[in-house]
Amino acid sequence: KTDPPYDSDGLLRFVRKTASLGFKAIEIGPLTDYSSIDGERLRKLLDKLNMKRSVHVGGPFDASKFASTEEEYGRMKRQIRRGTMLCDEIHSSLLSIHPPFFEGTCEPGEEFSKTAKARFFKLVKREIEFARRYNVKVALESFCYRPFIFRNIGDFGQFVSKFRLEELGVLLDVGHLYQARICLSEAVHVFKDRLVDVHVHDATLGRDYRKATHLPIGKGAIDFSSLIRLLRAVCYAGWLTLEVRGSEKEIGESKGHLQSLIARR
C-alpha cells in the first residue's frame, strides 16, 4: 500500500519498486491529496506490470467537524468521489474508505455521535450509488472503536448491515483491531460475508496506536498462522494488503512470511 502523498512521477516509481519486490497488486492510498495523479499513465504501468489494483481513501477526517460543518463533510465527499474516479481511470473495481474519528480526549455526547453516524450513513449511501455507475465496489474499513465514530464491533456491524452485501463490503484491519483488543476471530466471523480486503500489519497492545501498529510481521504479538487459518476457514479469497512501515528488508521478509503461511496446508 502506498502512503506519502506522491505526485504522479513519485507514485509511478513506487509502483515499479513494488513490482520489483515481487508484489502482484498494489493499493493506491490512503488518498489525502492525490489530485495530481495521472490516472492513464498509472493504468498503463499497472497493466504493463500485470498488477492488480485498488484505491483507499483515508486522511484525518474530523468527526466533530464532519457532524457540524459542511466544509469537512464536503472535503470527505470530494476525496471519496476522487477515489471513485481514480478507480475508473486505472480500471480498479474496489474502493475502500476510512471512517471519521473524534480528535482530542473528550468523549462526545451521544446525540453528537448519532449525528456524525447519520451524516456518514448519508454520505456512504450517496457515494455507493455514484460508484455503482462505474462498477466500483465500496468497502468500509473496520475502525470500530473510539476515537472513531463507532463504539465497538457491534456498532460497526449494525451500521454496515443497513446496506446490502453487494452494496458495501468490509476492509478488516487486523493490526488496529488487535491493538484495540478486539478479537480477530470474532471480527472475521462477524464480517465473513462482506470481507473484500484485509490490511495486514503486526501490532502490540501498546496504548499509542501509532507506535503499536504497522509493525513488520514478527515485531508484534499477532498470531498470523491463526489468522490465515481463520481466513481459510471462512473461504476468504480477497486481498491481503501488507501495510507495514519498515525497511525494504523488513517489508520483503513480511511478504515472504505471509506467503509461507498461505502455502501451508
Side-chain angles (χ1 to χ4, degrees), residues 41-252:
R41 286 179 66 203
L42 179 57
R43 175 187 58 77
K44 287 180 178 179
L45 178 61
L46 291 167
D47 288 346
K48 179 180 178 181
L49 296 171
N50 195 29
M51 293 186 76
K52 295 182 179 180
R53 70 293 308 249
S54 71
V55 175
H56 183 53
V57 175
F61 298 118
D62 186 324
S64 298
K65 293 178 182 178
F66 179 84
S68 58
T69 72
E70 292 305 316
E71 181 182 358
E72 188 73 353
Y73 183 94
R75 187 171 78 91
M76 189 169 190
K77 178 181 177 180
R78 288 191 298 273
Q79 293 290 5
I80 296 173
R81 190 66 56 95
R82 174 63 180 125
T84 298
M85 298 311 299
L86 183 59
C87 281
D88 183 58
E89 292 166 10
I90 67 174
H91 295 179
S92 168
S93 60
L94 178 60
L95 172 72
S96 53
I97 60 179
H98 187 295
F101 69 99
F102 291 101
E103 293 185 333
T105 58
C106 296
E107 181 75 8
E110 188 59 33
E111 286 303 314
F112 199 73
S113 293
K114 286 182 180 179
T115 299
K117 278 187 283 191
R119 297 197 85 193
F120 190 55
F121 176 83
K122 176 183 175 183
L123 177 61
V124 171
K125 185 174 179 60
R126 285 184 174 179
E127 294 312 304
I128 285 174
E129 293 170 354
F130 180 79
R132 189 183 297 125
R133 303 178 199 173
Y134 298 90
N135 296 314
V136 173
K137 170 88 173 188
V138 175
L140 183 60
E141 188 166 3
S142 60
F143 283 99
C144 46
Y145 51 89
R146 291 301 171 86
F148 300 92
I149 63 175
F150 305 108
R151 289 183 176 276
N152 50 49
I153 196 171
D155 192 20
F156 182 84
Q158 186 178 33
F159 183 91
V160 299
S161 69
K162 296 177 182 178
F163 298 90
R164 296 191 303 274
L165 291 175
E166 64 271 19
E167 285 185 319
L168 183 65
V170 168
L171 187 172
L172 204 68
D173 189 301
V174 298
H176 285 291
L177 291 179
Y178 181 85
Q179 187 268 338
R181 301 175 185 269
I182 294 173
C183 176
L184 295 182
S185 178
E186 178 186 3
V188 168
H189 283 91
V190 166
F191 301 116
K192 63 181 180 180
D193 295 328
R194 292 185 183 267
L195 284 185
V196 293
D197 194 356
V198 177
H199 276 184
V200 180
H201 50 104
D202 215 339
T204 69
L205 297 177
R207 297 190 62 167
D208 186 344
Y209 71 89
R210 289 163 295 191
K211 295 179 180 179
T213 60
H214 299 286
L215 304 176
I217 292 177
K219 299 293 185 179
I222 295 178
D223 184 345
F224 284 97
S225 296
S226 295
L227 174 66
I228 297 301
R229 287 196 297 270
L230 275 171
L231 294 173
R232 186 172 284 131
V234 299
C235 300
Y236 178 67
W239 284 60
L240 287 179
T241 304
L242 196 62
E243 197 180 28
V244 165
R245 292 194 178 102
S247 66
E248 185 176 311
K249 179 175 182 291
E250 289 172 320
I251 291 170

